[in-house]
Amino acid sequence: MELSRLVGIETPIVLGPFGGMSSVALTAAVSEAGGLGSFGLYGLSPERIAAVGQELREQTSRPFAFNLWLPFQGPGEQAPGAPFDRAEFEAAVAGLADLFEAAGIEPPAWPVAPLPEFSAQLEAALDARPAVLSFVFGVPSAELIEEAHRRGIRVFGAATTVPEAQALDAGGVDAIVASGLEAAGHRPSFLDAPEASLVGGLSLIPQVVDAVGVPVIAAGGIADRRGVAAAFALGADGVQVGSAFLATRQSAAREAHRERIRTAAAHDTVLTRAMSGRPARGLPNRAVRTIEQNGAIASFPLQNILSGIFRRRAAENGDAELLSLWMGQSAGLSRFEDASDVFAELAAGVPDGRD
């Protein structure tokens, strides 16, 4: 079953979910165009999740997806839900002192508020009844998938290697996002360290297609009709696109970030743990260089929470040097400022009979 029929969309183009940078306007725009708009729920309270669902239904009657991060403990990370370590907190705050000062804010005081509980987020997401619930950092439980299906919700998972894709397929997901190393943002690896799971899309997509029995959505390095056509030639049933949409006026990215996307070269981006404590692909700036030089990077999610304090002020000030400039290796191919133009360009690469 192809992706379009699986989720009831016209064109097999999926908006990449942006944790912290999703917008209702962009999600609705992609869904209205005939694709699958996605909204990243990372860090959102159950109340906010419910509100987002309502706001989306007010802007579109078409299918959309919600994305959640599964509780996951990567190498060197604290257990999900465990209390933060004060010594680690103080060392990380000291290492970020110059950046708090540059943003014009005081360093945070102990203690740090925890993230919302996953179970509460999940219940709110299920109650919102999106067409799709997508997950990163693992395989959703059989109980979770069964409950989603009971409510008429499809479940997607993300893989960075063939064994991860096979684990997701065996776990019962409805489709798999094959995320090549070119992709923007966090690497959702869960069977091995992200640094040991860096497979380019040209190699990853056809091998995942051959290894699983569910539709495969290609992600990473796709920004125009050529990337879409290549993904389908490799056997994908759809594509997931992030940076090209993030560069549009409908996204929640600041103009300084959008401009950096449009002007980035393929070799400019790096994988770094600096901003969140987990490897993510983006453009290095003052914040990344300062944190990496200081070497005091807290584990996830503490590092992400702390850097988020100066990042929010930087967003208000339009200071790109203190933002998380997430973008993929094909970011520089992003040349449209409106989501409808991006969608039309991507749709032109979908083979006849696949929309």
Side-chain angles (χ1 to χ4, degrees):
M1 181 184 296
E2 293 183 354
L3 179 67
S4 296
R5 293 199 299 270
L6 181 68
V7 296
I9 58 177
E10 298 170 7
T11 308
I13 295 172
V14 180
L15 170 65
F18 310 122
M21 285 189 289
S22 287
S23 76
V24 169
L26 180 55
T27 302
V30 172
S31 291
E32 281 293 292
L36 184 67
S38 302
F39 196 104
L41 304 179
Y42 172 79
L44 297 190
S45 68
E47 295 76 17
R48 181 57 188 148
I49 291 172
V52 169
Q54 180 61 35
E55 291 168 19
L56 279 168
R57 295 201 184 282
E58 291 172 356
Q59 294 199 27
T60 182
S61 60
R62 299 194 175 192
F64 62 84
F66 274 168
N67 174 264
L68 283 169
W69 293 26
L70 290 166
F72 173 74
Q73 185 176 7
E77 295 180 2
Q78 66 181 51
F84 297 127
D85 180 79
R86 184 162 187 173
E88 184 181 29
F89 164 83
E90 291 177 349
V93 169
L96 298 172
D98 290 345
L99 301 176
F100 289 122
E101 181 179 358
I105 55 177
E106 291 294 322
W110 179 265
V112 178
L115 293 172
E117 290 187 2
F118 173 76
S119 59
Q121 288 186 304
L122 176 61
E123 191 58 37
L126 288 168
D127 286 345
R129 295 183 182 267
V132 172
L133 263 180
S134 67
F135 296 91
V136 289
F137 294 110
V139 180
S141 69
E143 294 77 15
L144 190 164
I145 294 175
E146 181 181 358
E147 179 60 21
H149 286 169
R150 188 183 71 79
R151 303 191 192 202
I153 302 170
R154 298 293 188 180
V155 177
F156 292 1
T160 63
T161 63
V162 170
E164 288 179 350
Q166 291 172 319
L168 287 163
D169 191 24
V173 301
D174 298 297
I176 295 169
V177 177
S179 181
L181 66 83
E182 307 93 338
H186 288 85
R187 302 300 301 149
S189 304
F190 60 90
L191 289 184
D192 206 344
E195 294 87 346
S197 307
L198 297 174
V199 185
L202 194 64
S203 296
L204 181 66
I205 296 163
Q207 293 185 69
V208 169
V209 168
D210 289 348
V212 303
V214 296
V216 174
I217 302 164
I222 302 170
D224 60 20
R225 66 184 69 190
R226 295 171 294 181
V228 173
F232 279 100
L234 294 173
D237 284 287
V239 297
Q240 178 172 289
V241 178
S243 299
F245 283 118
L246 194 60
T248 66
R249 63 176 179 82
Q250 289 94 341
S251 88
R254 297 291 172 153
E255 176 54 36
H257 187 173
R258 298 199 296 270
E259 179 59 27
R260 295 290 181 96
I261 291 173
R262 290 189 286 266
T263 58
H267 62 278
D268 285 343
T269 64
V270 297
L271 276 178
T272 179
R273 292 178 180 265
M275 300 301 271
S276 74
R278 280 183 176 172
R281 183 172 296 284
L283 197 68
N285 56 7
R286 176 183 174 181
V288 169
R289 290 188 291 269
T290 297
I291 295 170
E292 290 185 341
Q293 288 169 5
N294 290 343
I297 302 176
S299 59
F300 177 88
L302 180 57
Q303 182 73 7
N304 201 40
I305 292 171
L306 294 177
S307 72
I309 296 171
F310 67 74
R311 286 187 280 118
R312 283 190 290 273
R313 179 58 63 88
E316 295 170 1
N317 297 337
D319 185 356
E321 289 302 310
L322 299 181
L323 295 175
S324 292
L325 298 175
W326 302 141
M327 64 187 71
Q329 289 184 331
S330 291
L333 296 175
S334 307
R335 58 184 182 275
F336 298 110
E337 295 186 2
D338 191 273
S340 63
D341 293 327
V342 174
F343 195 92
E345 168 62 23
L346 296 170
V350 177
D352 291 341
R354 299 304 292 271
D355 54 10

